[in-house]
Amino acid sequence: MTFDITKIRSDFPILAQQVYGKPLIYMDNGATTQKPQIVIDTINALHTEQNASIHRGVHFLSEQMTERYEHARQTVQQYINAEHLYEIIFTSGTTGSVNAIAFSFGEAYIKAGDEVIVSEMEHHSNIVPWQMMCNRKNAKLLVIPITDDGELKMDEYKKLLNSKTKLVAVGQVSNALGTINPIKEIIKLAHATGAKVFIDGAQGIQHGKVDVRALDCDFYAFSGHKLYGPTGIGMLYGKEKLLFDMPPYQGGGDMVERVSFSKTTYNTLPFKFEAGTSNYIGAIGMATAIEYLQNIGLENIADYEQQLLQYATQKLKQIDGLRIYGNAHDKISIVSFLIGNIHPYDLGMILDKMGIAVRTGTHCAMPLMDRFEIEGTIRASMAFYNTFGEIDKLYEGLVKAKMMLE
Ligand code: PLP
C-alpha cells in the first residue's frame, strides 16, 4: 500500500479542527493519540445497538458482546504473537498492568533480599509500582544508568545482574527521549541469570511490529489510548506458567470459580486477572484500532515516522541554542528539547496559541530529568498523521516564540 497522508488524515476527524483560529497541529501523541473514525463509530455502535454485560448473560446481546470481547482478545494475541489466548489479560492500561504484576508477581516470587532492576529513563508507571513492591517485600530496587545521549549503559546493566535479580523492568521506548532500548539483548542477559523480564510497551507498540515470542519477554504491557484506541483499556501479556503461578491481584465477580464463606476458588486464565465488569467496549475499540493500524501496515507507519523524525531533528537543530535531549542511535519520532534558558512551559504556552500542541514538563520521568539536571523539556511526539509541513510550522513557531522570550 502507498502511504496516502491525505487519506490518513481524513480518517481522524479531530485533525480538521481549528484551535484559536489556527489549524490544529497535534504533536502530543506520546501522551495520547487521536482516534480514527472507525474506532469512534465502533464504540458508538456498541453503545447504541449492542450494549450488554459480558460472560454472565444468556440473552442475545450479552452473548454477542461476549463473542466480540473474546474476538478482541484474539486480535491482540495475534498482534503481539502470543502463544495462547489466555495469556492476554485486559487491564485499564499500562499503569494498571504494571501494578497488577507488581502485586501478583511480588506475592508469588519476591522475598526479602531479592533484587529488581529498572532503568534511569523509566516512566513513573514503571518505577513506583516496583518501588512499592520492594518496600512490601524488603527487596532492593537497582537502576541501570544512561549515557548523555540517552542510551542504556549496557555494561553497567550486566554488572547489576546476579543470582539475586528476580525481575528486570524496562521500557521498550522512552516516552521522554524517544530512545528505543535493546530489549532483546536485555531479556537474553536477564534470562541467563534466571531473572524474568517485564517490558513496558506503552511507547513501543504503536511504532512497529512486536513479537513477544521472538523477544521471549515474560511480561509485556500497553495502553489502548496510545495506540489510536480508547482510554481506560490496556493489556497485559504474561507467559502461561508465570500467570498460572501468580495469585489474583483483585477479587470480585468474574475472577472466581466458586465462592463460599469458608473458601473461594478462582477462575482459570485469563479471567482470574479480570475481576469485575471489564471495559468490554474499550477492548473491542482497541482491537478495532489495531486492525486499522494493520491495514495501513506497521512497516509503512515506522518508515514514515522515521522520515518525520529525521526531518524534525535536522530542522529544529537549526535553531540557535536548541539542545535535543535523547540522541540515541535508535529512536522513535519524539524530539525532546530546550532552547537556551527559556522555560519549557513558556514556549509551550506560546506554541499553543499558534495551534501547536506539544508537551512540556517532566513527562512523568522525574528521575530522568534529575539525571540531566533539568526541570523538564518540550516534547514534540509525532504520529503517522503528522506532516513535514507541520514540522515547518513548529520550527517557525519556535523561532517566533524564541524572539519573544529572549
Ligand atoms: N509507560 C510509558 C513509557 C508511558 O509513556 C506511559 C504514559 O505516558 C505509561 C507507561 C503509562 O501509561 P498509561 O497512563 O496509559 O497507563
Side-chain angles (χ1 to χ4, degrees):
M1 175 196 154
T2 52
F3 195 83
D4 183 350
I5 187 70
T6 311
K7 159 79 180 70
I8 283 169
R9 285 183 67 83
S10 72
D11 291 339
F12 292 82
I14 205 169
L15 299 179
Q17 207 181 122
Q18 301 235 321
V19 175
Y20 307 115
K22 312 266 168 38
L24 169 67
I25 296 177
Y26 186 78
M27 292 197 180
D28 194 16
N29 296 286
T32 200
T33 52
Q34 301 303 346
K35 320 303 167 199
Q37 191 67 53
I38 182 94
V39 170
I40 300 166
D41 288 347
T42 301
I43 293 168
N44 266 342
L46 288 171
H47 280 296
T48 314
E49 295 155 17
Q50 232 181 333
N51 182 47
S53 186
I54 53 167
H55 291 153
R56 284 161 240 185
V58 288
H59 59 84
F60 178 78
L61 288 182
S62 173
E63 280 188 358
Q64 258 197 333
M65 191 64 97
T66 303
E67 207 174 288
R68 291 201 64 179
Y69 179 71
E70 292 306 328
H71 181 73
R73 200 187 304 277
Q74 233 171 39
T75 305
V76 174
Q77 180 203 359
Q78 283 159 8
Y79 188 50
I80 61 169
N81 196 30
E83 188 172 0
H84 303 293
L85 191 59
Y86 49 79
E87 290 173 324
I88 306 298
I89 293 156
F90 286 119
T91 64
S92 60
T94 308
T95 305
S97 301
V98 187
N99 279 280
I101 324 172
F103 179 81
S104 297
F105 185 85
E107 289 305 294
Y109 293 105
I110 302 289
K111 54 181 191 331
D114 284 346
E115 295 179 359
V116 174
I117 298 176
V118 296
S119 94
E120 208 170 14
M121 68 171 86
E122 297 312 311
H123 186 281
H124 296 160
S125 286
N126 200 24
I127 299 175
V128 184
W130 304 118
Q131 229 168 14
M132 290 160 69
M133 180 189 83
C134 286
N135 287 342
R136 242 183 1 255
K137 293 285 165 178
N138 230 346
K140 208 162 143 192
L141 192 70
L142 302 170
V143 183
I144 314 168
I146 61 166
T147 65
D148 289 344
D149 280 339
E151 291 180 333
L152 293 177
K153 289 188 177 170
M154 291 299 282
D155 285 346
E156 299 295 323
Y157 169 54
K158 286 179 200 160
K159 284 187 214 155
L160 292 178
L161 286 166
N162 67 77
S163 60
K164 285 184 277 182
T165 315
K166 286 292 168 330
L167 188 91
V168 177
V170 288
Q172 184 177 4
V173 168
S174 157
N175 66 310
L177 305 173
T179 310
I180 302 173
N181 286 319
I183 50 172
K184 196 155 182 171
E185 196 188 341
I186 290 171
I187 294 163
K188 207 167 149 204
L189 288 164
H191 284 173
T193 65
K196 306 296 180 206
V197 183
F198 164 71
I199 300 295
D200 170 354
Q203 300 289 345
I205 191 73
Q206 62 284 61
H207 297 289
K209 179 80 191 124
V210 169
D211 182 332
V212 291
R213 266 191 282 175
L215 284 172
D216 197 26
C217 57
D218 300 286
F219 301 101
Y220 188 92
F222 62 77
S223 303
H225 72 102
K226 293 187 196 286
L227 184 65
Y228 311 92
T231 42
I233 185 75
M235 103 70 237
L236 167 63
Y237 158 81
K239 280 185 184 163
E240 176 186 16
K241 157 95 178 71
L242 296 168
L243 292 179
F244 188 81
D245 287 348
M246 284 159 45
Y249 70 108
Q250 284 182 328
D254 240 24
M255 53 74 73
V256 286
E257 180 191 54
R258 167 136 185 84
V259 178
S260 76
F261 287 115
S262 56
K263 184 176 162 61
T264 289
T265 51
Y266 303 132
N267 207 337
T268 50
L269 288 173
F271 311 111
K272 180 173 93 170
F273 291 109
E274 292 182 0
T277 305
S278 50
N279 183 359
Y280 46 86
I281 292 185
I284 299 164
M286 180 165 79
T288 306
I290 289 173
E291 283 158 8
Y292 173 80
L293 295 181
Q294 284 172 325
N295 276 339
I296 296 175
L298 286 155
E299 277 179 15
N300 294 329
I301 289 173
D303 282 353
Y304 180 72
E305 287 181 347
Q306 279 304 310
Q307 291 174 39
L308 290 177
L309 173 67
Q310 301 313 327
Y311 187 73
T313 307
Q314 292 317 315
K315 191 88 196 174
L316 297 193
K317 269 185 178 169
Q318 292 168 19
I319 299 173
D320 200 29
L322 186 139
R323 303 182 300 284
I324 293 179
Y325 290 86
N327 293 292
H329 184 263
D330 292 326
K331 274 186 74 174
I332 56 142
S333 45
I334 279 181
V335 187
S336 224
F337 59 92
L338 286 173
I339 302 180
N341 291 323
I342 302 174
H343 197 283
Y345 184 74
D346 294 336
L347 269 177
M349 291 283 283
I350 295 178
L351 289 178
D352 173 50
K353 295 293 177 291
M354 301 172 181
I356 305 171
V358 291
R359 195 72 159 187
T360 63
T362 65
H363 317 297
C364 292
M366 285 185 201
L368 178 65
M369 299 300 131
D370 290 345
R371 156 68 177 78
F372 285 112
E373 298 180 352
I374 53 176
E375 280 180 48
T377 70
I378 302 147
R379 180 187 71 182
S381 49
M382 294 162 286
F384 62 89
Y385 44 57
N386 287 121
T387 66
F388 299 98
E390 287 182 323
I391 294 169
D392 291 339
K393 288 266 161 39
L394 171 67
Y395 167 84
E396 286 158 23
L398 285 169
V399 170
K400 257 190 224 157
K402 180 175 181 285
M403 275 185 346
M404 289 163 73
L405 292 166
E406 267 184 354

